[in-house]
Amino acid sequence: MTTARQHHIRTTPFRVVLTAAAIATTVAAVTTGCTKENKAAPPPNPTASPTPSADPQAAEKDALLGVYRAFWDASVKAYSTGSMKNTGMETVGADKAYSKVQATQIYYRDNGYVMTGAPTLSPQVSAMEAAAQPPKATITDCIDSTNYIQVEKQSGKPVETMDQNRRHVATYTALKIGGTWQIRDFDISRDQLC
């Protein structure tokens, strides 16, 4: 005959084993649940639409400024060689802009001058009318010619000029013809300094 105490003693290890197993199973389930939750990939984001550019004309302005810089590269070549040949000017400059660069290049050549170095540019598109026919734009720049010097071609001696200020405001107009921007005219203000 089993006493209550003996029954308790016999069943206690079984209960302890059951209790320990239940705790282990619970811990495993909770831990596994946490681990899966921690390792699970975050929920997918809804399909994100591209962030709209702060300036819807940014790409067009970048293209225009690229043409503007190419116009200046061509001008620097013309003024340093005394020739419009192989400068690339015909692809980026036209109309009055081309004529003005050509006239200046001829002046330098005829007087035995060339330009050395290069100007520092800081252009901004100050106006753009993309809907106009043809599209047109204005570029405003502060041209710093501190390191862009007129010299005598033979001696390399700097030529004295009346204008000692080396920073001037310049305005360029451009048109988009056949899908490509061209610089069409410009004005460099000798009075408006920057």
Side-chain angles (χ1 to χ4, degrees):
M1 189 166 160
T2 326
T3 64
R5 180 163 172 72
Q6 288 172 337
H7 178 71
H8 177 71
I9 290 171
R10 275 192 205 149
T11 59
T12 301
F14 181 70
R15 284 185 182 159
V16 169
V17 170
L18 280 177
T19 307
I23 291 171
T25 303
T26 305
V27 169
V30 169
T31 308
T32 303
C34 288
T35 304
K36 284 182 182 172
E37 188 175 296
N38 289 342
K39 288 184 181 178
N45 289 335
T47 305
S49 59
T51 306
S53 170
D55 182 355
Q57 295 179 324
E60 199 67 42
K61 288 178 179 180
D62 287 345
L64 173 57
L65 291 176
V67 168
Y68 172 76
R69 290 187 183 281
F71 176 84
W72 260 104
D73 289 345
S75 299
V76 168
K77 284 180 189 175
Y79 299 154
S80 65
T81 64
S83 172
M84 296 293 280
K85 291 180 182 176
N86 302 316
T87 62
M89 178 60 75
E90 63 281 351
T91 61
V92 292
D95 201 15
K96 293 178 182 177
Y98 186 97
S99 297
K100 287 178 180 180
V101 171
Q102 186 176 43
T104 302
Q105 168 263 310
I106 290 169
Y107 168 81
Y108 288 153
R109 185 193 65 205
D110 289 353
N111 286 281
Y113 303 145
V114 292
M115 295 297 291
T116 60
T120 300
L121 308 175
S122 51
Q124 292 184 342
V125 178
S126 49
M128 180 172 279
E129 297 176 44
Q133 291 300 323
K136 58 184 177 178
T138 303
I139 298 169
T140 304
D141 198 352
C142 175
I143 300 172
D144 183 347
S145 60
T146 302
N147 298 311
Y148 193 44
I149 309 297
Q150 182 179 336
V151 300
E152 294 176 357
K153 185 175 182 177
Q154 294 299 321
S155 66
K157 180 181 175 184
V159 176
E160 293 292 330
T161 60
M162 298 289 291
D163 187 4
Q164 296 305 309
N165 182 60
R166 307 299 290 176
R167 296 170 60 92
H168 296 281
V169 173
T171 305
Y172 291 74
T173 55
L175 294 178
K176 191 173 186 181
I177 308 292
T180 304
W181 286 103
Q182 285 187 328
I183 306 300
R184 304 294 289 223
D185 197 5
F186 64 87
D187 179 58
I188 300 175
S189 172
R190 299 297 173 193
D191 301 325
Q192 195 175 357
L193 311 181
C194 53

